[in-house]
Amino acid sequence: MVPVEILGVRQQQRDQEIVVLLLDTAADLAVPIVIGAREASAIAMAQAGLATPRPMTHDLLRDVLGAVGVALERVEIVALEGGIYFAELVLSNGVHLDSRASDAIALAVRTGSPVLCSAEIVALAGVEIVDVDQQAEVERFRDFLDHVTPEDFSGPPGGGGQGGGRTG
């Protein structure tokens, strides 16, 4: 199991699916989990710190756990079968409860509990994180390499004199 950070909820543009993204910071991989609109709303609202006038289901479950003196120690994403993610709620009394991944994540956000994911799932389903600024810098460098000439490196340092170097 590896710790993951809940990046948030996103709607994929190509097929309009809603996903929650879990980031394995050690591997720079994000695991996208397709979720329903209600679960997406529950996760996003909790991350934004928005309260509802009446408790939502995940709020109620958090409150019930507190009322009976049991804490959510952690959420574990334990399996991926046929495109479906399986999770477990690990409670302070040692009980492990089967859960949908989306519900487990919504509860973890509300309780501040850590989320862990199987390393196998991260390796299998994780996608590389692309830093937009870094990608733009790489593109500028590639463009420079495509157009650089030996004259760009002649002359005194700092760009003075002939061929003084290109700026991109």
Side-chain angles (χ1 to χ4, degrees), residues 140 143-149 151-153 159 163-168:
R140 284 192 294 275
D143 183 58
F144 169 76
L145 290 177
D146 288 343
H147 298 97
V148 71
T149 65
E151 291 77 30
D152 289 328
F153 297 101
R166 294 178 51 158
T167 59

Side-chain angles (χ1 to χ4, degrees), residues 38 42 52 54-64 103 106-107 110:
R38 286 189 175 110
T52 57
R54 302 286 300 144
M56 294 178 65
T57 304
H58 303 99
D59 300 317
L60 178 62
L61 182 53
R62 176 202 57 211
D63 296 346
V64 167
D103 289 329
L107 186 58
R110 282 166 172 72

Side-chain angles (χ1 to χ4, degrees), residues 1-15:
M1 290 286 172
V2 295
V4 292
E5 177 184 325
I6 304 165
L7 286 181
V9 176
R10 307 283 187 274
Q11 187 164 10
Q12 294 185 0
Q13 296 205 353
R14 70 176 190 276
D15 52 17

Side-chain angles (χ1 to χ4, degrees), residues 13-153:
Q13 296 205 353
R14 70 176 190 276
D15 52 17
Q16 302 300 309
E17 287 183 321
I18 301 171
V19 298
V20 60
L21 294 171
L22 303 179
L23 175 65
D24 175 356
T25 56
D28 278 336
L29 293 174
V31 177
I33 299 176
V34 177
I35 60 175
R38 286 189 175 110
E39 292 80 8
S41 176
I43 293 168
M45 288 179 64
Q47 283 190 309
L50 300 175
T52 57
R54 302 286 300 144
M56 294 178 65
T57 304
H58 303 99
D59 300 317
L60 178 62
L61 182 53
R62 176 202 57 211
D63 296 346
V64 167
L65 288 173
V68 297
V70 176
L72 176 63
E73 284 192 356
R74 67 184 176 277
V75 164
E76 296 180 351
I77 311 296
V78 295
L80 172 59
E81 297 175 13
I84 298 171
Y85 290 85
F86 293 80
E88 287 185 356
L89 304 176
V90 180
L91 304 179
S92 60
N93 62 3
V95 172
H96 289 231
L97 296 172
D98 182 32
S99 174
R100 296 186 317 166
S102 57
D103 289 329
I105 292 166
L107 186 58
V109 172
R110 282 166 172 72
T111 61
S113 302
V115 178
L116 300 139
C117 187
S118 159
E120 292 174 355
I121 292 173
V122 172
L124 179 68
V127 293
E128 221 173 312
I129 296 295
V130 177
D131 181 327
V132 176
D133 292 334
Q134 183 180 21
Q135 188 175 17
E137 182 66 28
V138 168
E139 289 303 318
R140 284 192 294 275
F141 184 64
R142 283 185 182 146
D143 183 58
F144 169 76
L145 290 177
D146 288 343
H147 298 97
V148 71
T149 65
E151 291 77 30
D152 289 328
F153 297 101

